[in-house]
């Protein structure tokens, strides 16, 4: 625990979310208040910007724009998918980071991301310790996948879940409108964990959900899927809504979505498409029903107009808490959420966990929450997720459209 | 012009929108107030419900739920795609409609839909006149495609345009977040008219739009498309957002989206997909860049959480105006919107137009609004569309999710 004085740098990493910038706002607004923080930098494209010495001087930004960051989706500083090598294998990047940190007197490092990003954060933290460079390092969690270890939930998840549940309710009303059938196959993200697919159950709870929900936690059997859909069609005038996680795998571990596109369009070219299209093709062929495949694609992770207020506030607080903790002397930790399940009302607070516990681990949906032989979700999940999606928090309208933050992005010079 | 006393029936037809139920609310709430309207019926699945004598007694519904209809997407009564034959060819359906109307003493008929639905409405109107059955018939416009003749714009269009523009702004922030390139191809609806694709220009106006916009009004050339994308990639680090209308056709009149899927997935089945996937495949193959095809699918027409307040109110008023006009003795007309382009502030009112003018005609985007050799949209369009997407109007939240109308749907008996 060392109280340090110097500059801080914050970086965003991995896939964007609706609220990753809320955490950025929390970090920046809190850091700009702190006496012991002499400069506040935002790294362009995460660790890549640190290596390239490209970062913005956040004190030059209009405070109103920093406030608008709370409601602006995607990573305003730019994100990265850069993996640091093990230091034993190649320490080039680490030496460069140290050089940059020394040059700018960086004594606080905040990194915002998911599993891979926490791995980066952990590696940097351990390296700086090993060379005796004083720098307080705190990871700030972020992922729509909700798969980080050690936290009740992850900032970004709730807003994606709210987007998915709301959209499924609306699509349910649309898809069942005719006096003829339609099988709707809705694909959501989640490569290894089914938290996002499970959020369809929130729509079910409101009576306008999916008939079938498939998570990657359970091996996917195509024949069983066809017979599940057939059974729903049989009892429901050929109307069926199935939600599938992009990460569905067959029992032998193959992703169902990994297909090789052939030369099959009007022009003799390969077409691109996802799991929903593949499963849609199978259903159409085997059951001879009308099918519409729907991918919620980028929208589920950047649909900030549907962000959860709880999520926006928690993401902001996670950022501010990271700064306060680091200034108080904490280092080598990640912010996690601890929920009090005994409290009458939803109650959740940020606490710290050793950074190495978060790196590269994955938290999947408890198998006991997956019901009906792998095609349903239990009420326990609804109890878990419903408090997270409460309230609205979105950018003000200007010309009828969201007014997102506009940063000047003035590079720091030294 | 005849002042009639008797029952009224209202039906919804064609593809759903975010605000078609706002018009239903306008019709029902106004009709229930009218002394000369002795019963208010809602047809299940439009004309199909009338033929099958399946309609709901709307006086049995809770007024609060009728109010919530304003914010509930899709067609609450159920929609239809049933085309009446020409009466000269086969008058069976017409005789049946007359029989049902007589049985229930229906003297007011309101039909809500697009081109095809106005054709149905017109045919029924003309038939009832020809047999001397007194019934005031008014069509209520609806279509996200915005392609009805004789009206400044159509209820439903503005909310879809707002959904598309907002979503493109968010996807723009997401798609450009990395330090590597991505070509995003976003497909929107619009089979013959490009009003929906053009709405991407509203996002451009806010600085977060599409680099390229293609409408079906202009023949689509695949090679030119590839070189357009290549040019954007060249100057913008391989980052490009292209918006395409589902109805793009080549110069010889073939839909680009009409492809025959081959046996090409992991399981040897055909896959389903749309235009974005086809064009995405071509771009990936020819330019060797990362590509993400996105279809806004059903969401663009049922995303009521992003409805425009102007649209919701106008749709409601169109329904109420239809009832007031019919009670005042008007018949054989359709409600259209007349905008005062000389007024300082946006000013638009419902007026009546002969029904036969609306049936089966199509209004496309003026060619002079399509710029840059077919890949851009002019400022004139923004001036036209921006006033339509103003304001929010959405269902109240319950458990963090929209509380849509819940109708009892009690069948009328006679």
């Amino acid at each position: 625990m060392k109280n340090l004085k110097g500059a801080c740098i914050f970086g965003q990493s991995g896939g964007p979310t609706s609220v990753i910038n809320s955490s950025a706002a929390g970090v920046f607004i809190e850091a700009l208040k702190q006496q012991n923080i002499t400069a506040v930098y935002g790294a362009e494209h995460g660790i890549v910007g640190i290596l390239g010495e490209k970062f913005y001087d956040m004190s030059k930004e209009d405070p109103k724009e920093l406030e608008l960051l709370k409601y602006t989706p995607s990573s305003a500083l730019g994100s990265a998918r850069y993996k640091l090598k093990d230091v034993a294998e190649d320490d080039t990047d680490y030496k460069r980071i140290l050089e940059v940190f020394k040059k700018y007197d960086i004594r606080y490092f905040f990194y915002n991301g998911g599993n891979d990003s926490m791995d980066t954060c952990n590696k940097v933290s351990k390296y700086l310790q090993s060379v005796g460079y004083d720098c307080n390092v705190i990871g700030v969690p972020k992922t729509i996948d909700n798969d980080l270890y050690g936290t009740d939930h992850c900032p970004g998840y709730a807003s994606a879940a709210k987007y998915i549940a709301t959209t499924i309710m609306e699509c349910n009303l649309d898809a069942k409108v005719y006096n003829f059938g339609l099988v709707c196959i809705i694909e959501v993200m989640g490569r290894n964990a089914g938290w996002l697919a499970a959020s369809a159950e929130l729509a079910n709870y409101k009576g306008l959900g999916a008939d079938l929900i498939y998570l990657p936690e359970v091996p996917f059997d195509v024949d069983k899927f066809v017979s599940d859909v057939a059974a729903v069609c049989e009892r429901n005038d050929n109307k069926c809504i199935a939600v599938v996680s992009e990460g569905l795998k067959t029992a032998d571990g193959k992703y169902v979505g990994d297909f090789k596109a052939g030369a099959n369009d009007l022009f003799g070219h390969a077409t691109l498409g996802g799991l929903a299209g593949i499963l849609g093709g199978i259903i159409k062929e085997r059951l001879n029903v009308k099918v519409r495949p729907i991918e919620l694609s980028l929208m589920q992770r950047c649909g900030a107009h549907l962000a959860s207020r709880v999520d926006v506030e928690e993401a902001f607080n996670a950022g501010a808490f990271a700064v306060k903790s680091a200034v108080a002397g904490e280092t080598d930790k990640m912010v996690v959420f601890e929920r009090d399940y005994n409290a009458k009302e939803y109650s959740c607070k940020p606490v710290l966990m050793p950074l190495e516990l978060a790196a590269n681990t994955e938290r999947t949906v408890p198998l006991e929450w997956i019901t009906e032989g792998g095609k349903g979700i239990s009420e326990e999940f609804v109890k878990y997720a419903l408090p997270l999606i409460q309230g609205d928090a979105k950018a003000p309208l200007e010309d009828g459209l969201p007014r997102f933050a506009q940063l000047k992005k003035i590079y720091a010079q030294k």
Side-chain angles (χ1 to χ4, degrees), chain A:
Chain A
M1 295 276 290
K2 276 192 187 164
N3 296 101
L4 304 173
K5 185 160 187 153
C8 84
I9 193 157
F10 170 77
Q12 299 174 314
S13 174
T17 78
S18 286
V19 305
I20 183 167
N21 288 328
S22 312
S23 291
V27 166
F28 294 143
I29 291 171
E30 184 60 38
L32 287 165
K33 281 190 219 163
Q34 292 286 344
Q35 298 268 326
N36 281 341
I37 297 183
T38 53
V40 180
Y41 301 128
E44 185 185 67
H45 297 300
I47 200 75
V48 175
I50 295 175
L51 290 167
E53 216 178 311
K54 291 210 146 188
F55 32 89
Y56 313 120
D57 181 345
M58 302 310 296
S59 70
K60 302 274 168 62
E61 301 294 343
D62 184 334
K64 274 184 210 156
E65 300 300 327
L66 294 182
E67 186 66 31
L68 281 176
L69 271 183
K70 281 174 81 170
Y71 313 109
T72 302
S74 189
S75 308
L77 306 174
S79 192
R81 286 205 181 279
Y82 186 89
K83 205 167 164 66
L84 287 179
K85 289 187 181 131
D86 276 336
V87 69
E89 191 189 324
D90 181 353
D91 65 357
T92 316
D93 283 346
Y94 297 90
K95 284 182 172 164
R96 172 66 182 149
I97 291 168
L98 181 62
E99 182 182 43
V100 172
F101 276 27
K102 281 183 176 170
K103 180 171 172 187
Y104 291 83
D105 191 29
I106 290 169
R107 298 294 168 177
Y108 295 100
F109 175 47
F110 305 108
Y111 211 51
N112 193 188
N115 297 308
D116 293 341
S117 314
M118 289 306 126
D119 177 60
T120 299
C121 190
N122 184 46
K123 282 173 172 166
V124 171
S125 180
K126 298 299 185 285
Y127 176 77
L128 296 176
Q129 284 182 353
S130 75
V131 295
Y133 180 83
D134 281 339
C135 183
N136 288 346
V137 178
I138 307 279
V140 183
K142 171 251 43 160
T143 168
I144 61 166
D145 291 338
N146 205 34
D147 60 351
L148 278 169
Y149 171 83
T151 184
D152 180 77
H153 57 280
C154 302
Y157 169 63
S159 294
K162 187 179 177 109
Y163 180 94
I164 291 167
T166 303
T167 299
I168 288 173
M169 287 177 72
E170 292 174 338
C171 285
N172 177 303
L173 287 170
D174 188 305
K176 298 190 171 174
V177 80
Y178 286 115
N179 53 337
F180 48 81
L182 177 68
V183 174
C184 235
I185 300 173
I186 302 177
E187 176 182 344
V188 300
M189 289 180 170
R191 201 72 177 155
N192 297 309
W195 295 102
L196 290 170
S199 64
E201 186 64 21
L202 299 170
N204 287 18
Y205 173 74
K206 302 303 291 178
L208 295 170
D211 301 290
L212 305 163
I213 302 173
Y214 299 92
L215 273 57
E217 280 80 355
V218 176
F220 186 76
D221 183 289
V222 173
D223 292 327
K224 188 173 166 302
F225 171 69
V226 173
S227 71
D228 289 347
V229 172
V232 175
C233 283
E234 176 73 27
R235 67 172 186 264
N236 201 16
D237 294 332
N238 282 341
K239 292 174 187 176
C240 174
I241 295 177
V243 169
V244 296
S245 179
E246 62 169 342
L248 291 180
K249 286 186 283 281
T250 52
D252 58 359
K254 282 186 190 157
Y255 283 111
V256 183
D258 279 347
F259 72 108
K260 283 184 176 51
N264 64 354
D265 70 3
L266 194 62
F267 308 98
H269 295 281
T271 65
L272 291 181
L275 176 64
I278 294 172
L279 294 176
I282 294 171
I283 291 297
K284 194 179 163 77
E285 186 181 292
R286 297 232 207 136
L287 301 181
N288 192 29
V289 287
K290 207 168 136 72
V291 180
R292 181 181 276 268
I294 296 178
E295 265 186 77
L296 297 188
S297 195
L298 300 184
M299 293 82 84
Q300 67 199 288
R301 73 180 190 191
C302 68
H305 66 272
L306 262 179
S308 139
R309 194 177 62 232
V310 168
D311 196 18
V312 168
E313 287 172 3
E314 288 183 343
F316 182 89
N317 291 340
F321 181 73
V323 173
K324 286 179 205 161
S325 303
V327 169
E330 294 282 359
T331 187
D332 205 33
K333 302 279 191 333
M334 182 179 88
V335 177
V336 292
F337 290 148
E338 200 174 80
R339 190 186 323 190
D340 178 1
Y341 282 91
N342 294 318
K344 258 193 168 177
E345 304 246 303
Y346 171 71
S347 163
C348 186
K349 63 175 183 191
V351 294
L352 296 175
M353 177 179 89
L355 201 41
E356 62 270 21
L357 292 181
N360 296 315
T361 51
E362 260 180 352
R363 191 179 61 111
T364 53
V365 176
L367 288 179
E368 61 272 24
W369 289 5
I370 303 172
T371 58
E372 299 170 49
K375 61 182 199 289
I377 300 295
S378 77
E379 209 186 324
E380 291 304 305
F381 170 80
V382 174
K383 283 184 195 158
Y384 164 81
L386 204 58
L388 310 181
I389 65 161
Q390 298 304 304
D392 276 341
K394 61 174 194 166
L397 286 188
E398 185 185 81
D399 298 322
L401 293 169
R403 167 62 165 86
F404 294 133
Q406 289 160 5
L407 300 182
K408 293 179 206 152
K409 298 195 175 181
I410 297 167
Y411 285 116
Q413 303 281 350
K414 194 111 246 175

